[in-house]
Structure formats: C-alpha cells, structure tokens
Amino acid sequence: MSIFTGSGVAIVTPFTADLEVDYAKLRELIDFQIENGTDSIIICGTTGEASTLTHEEHLDCIRVCVEHVNKRVPVIAGTGSNCTKTAIYLSQEAEKSGVDALLVVTPYYNKATQNGLKGHFTAIANSVNIPIILYNVPSRTGCNILPETAVSLAKEVSNIVAIKETTENMSQVAKLMKLADGCIDLYSGNDDQVIPLLSLGGKGVISVVANVAPKLTHDMVVKYLEGDTSGALKIQLDLLDLADAMFCEVNPIPVKKALELTGFPVGKLRMPLTEMEPANAERLAKAMREIGILVK
C-alpha cells in the first residue's frame, strides 16, 4: 500500500522575527493544508530549510507536526544527511515521534558512488521499522540515484518503498518504472512535471506549489488518477507559470515570499538564503494572480 496518493506538501518552516522556529504558525499552516485537501505533510525537507535547523529544532518540528496532524493525514519526515550516522540518528528519533514514513535525500557534497548509495540507504532503512522514500535531487546534491540502484534497493530492503524523483531526465524516470515493474512507488518532486510522472505510474507529488495552492495541486492529481486526464492537464498547464516562478530563485526563497504575498507571513529565511529580488517577487505575484490566488 502506498504511503499516500495525491498531493503531499513540502511544508515551509516558519520563523519568528528573531529567526526562531514559530511553532504556532507551523500549526496554522498544517491546518490550512489539511482543510484544503492536502493528502500528506512532508516536514523538514529542503523547503523546510532543514539544512539550517539544529538537530533539536529539526526533531522538535517533527514532533509538533505529528502531534498537531493527529493522524488526519500521513506525516513524512525529512531525515537525510550527508553523514550516514547522522541520518540514522534523525531517522530513529523521527520514528519515535510517530511519523508515518521518512524522506531520505542522497548524501550531498560527498557524491557517493552507486555502491555507496546502496550502503547508505540500506544502513538507514535497517535502523528503523517504518517506510522510506528515497529522494533523488541531483541538481542540489550532485548525486544521482540510477534506476538500477533504486530498483535494487526496493527489492532488497523491505521498507524502501518509494522514490521522490526531482530529476529533469524523464527518460531516466521511464527506465526506472520499466525496471521496477511495480516494486517502487513514484512521486514527482517537480511541480511542472506532475502529469508526466503520473503517466508513468506515479502516485502523486511532493509539492512546493501546494504551500499556496493546496486545493489545485490536490485536484490535479485526483483528477488524473480518477481518469479525468484533460481536467488534470488543464490544471498542470495553468500552474506552469507559478511553478516556474517558485523556482526562479533557489527554493524556498520564492515560496516564503508567496505565502507573505497571500497575507500569511512565515518569517524571513535563515542565512545563507536571502530575500527575493524585487523583480522576481513581482513575477511571482503576477503568476499567483493569474490563477486566482489573492495577493494582498
């Protein structure tokens, strides 16, 4: 059984004026997402600025999320690291908090070999008893999970059950799904490629855009899975300009600005991330207005 089908939001981590984690605002964001159809909450991923959180903050965010969601939808915690020992620690602590699954990114900067990736992910998976989603995002990590490696892991390690693909190489994704023959679930990590990945057998999306357009993102996936491919395609095409604007600067700079523009401020970004350039912020606001998102 899939961890979830539909739209999972890669939720931001809100900060107070002095850049402490704003747990009250996080609870508000969670409620907003669930009330608008989001099918899963992904906490402490790239969009959640996990790389700038202390381990204590990281685990506190996970605990607060699990407690506040209270089983309404699955909670998936980002627990990856470029250090296998650290990833095991975070994964074990997240499991103790009651998360439904883990999202584990490739070990960035180290640029492990394919055998290194197999060893890394196997060690993490063997340290816990909950499902794991592999996270392949070569543009940010300099490391690519090849289809053969992902399929080998899924077949050999019982709790490695899915992969979030954020590669631009659709041929690689197609090869993955051919080799997998159903042994691994697929989630899109690119908001502009949801329909193509669903057409290859994907179960949904782990979305940045869903932070500000949760219902549209949910509806797009549901329509496709229910057979309304033309309706799903229309939403995908309608969302393209917003998806592009969301990544005109490094994520999560634009998505935090987008939430601010809707009147739902979530605080600044921790360094080394900086505020969005004014011209890009206007581009983002224009894309939001075009699909009916109220910009205040």
Side-chain angles (χ1 to χ4, degrees), residues 180-200:
D181 194 26
C183 77
I184 192 166
D185 286 343
L186 172 67
Y187 296 101
S188 175
N190 290 328
D191 280 294
D192 61 350
Q193 294 180 347
V194 180
I195 298 303
L197 266 76
L198 291 176
S199 75
L200 291 170

Side-chain angles (χ1 to χ4, degrees), residues 60-74:
D60 282 345
C61 284
I62 292 170
R63 294 186 191 106
V64 167
C65 184
V66 170
E67 177 184 309
H68 193 68
V69 169
N70 194 25
K71 302 296 183 182
R72 288 179 286 173
V73 297

Side-chain angles (χ1 to χ4, degrees), residues 165-231:
E165 273 289 2
T166 317
T167 176
E168 302 296 328
N169 187 346
M170 294 301 297
S171 296
Q172 176 174 303
V173 180
K175 182 177 181 181
L176 165 66
M177 296 307 282
K178 177 178 172 60
L179 293 176
D181 194 26
C183 77
I184 192 166
D185 286 343
L186 172 67
Y187 296 101
S188 175
N190 290 328
D191 280 294
D192 61 350
Q193 294 180 347
V194 180
I195 298 303
L197 266 76
L198 291 176
S199 75
L200 291 170
K203 301 292 185 179
V205 59
I206 295 177
S207 171
V208 177
V209 166
N211 278 279
V212 293
K215 188 175 187 305
L216 276 174
T217 310
H218 164 85
D219 288 352
M220 173 175 55
V221 179
V222 169
K223 282 178 182 292
Y224 187 92
L225 295 177
E226 291 181 348
D228 182 7
T229 55
S230 61

Side-chain angles (χ1 to χ4, degrees), residues 40-58:
S40 179
I41 306 293
I42 293 81
I43 186 79
C44 292
T46 305
T47 310
E49 295 178 75
S51 59
T52 68
L53 300 175
T54 66
H55 289 168
E56 292 77 15
E57 289 172 327
H58 191 138

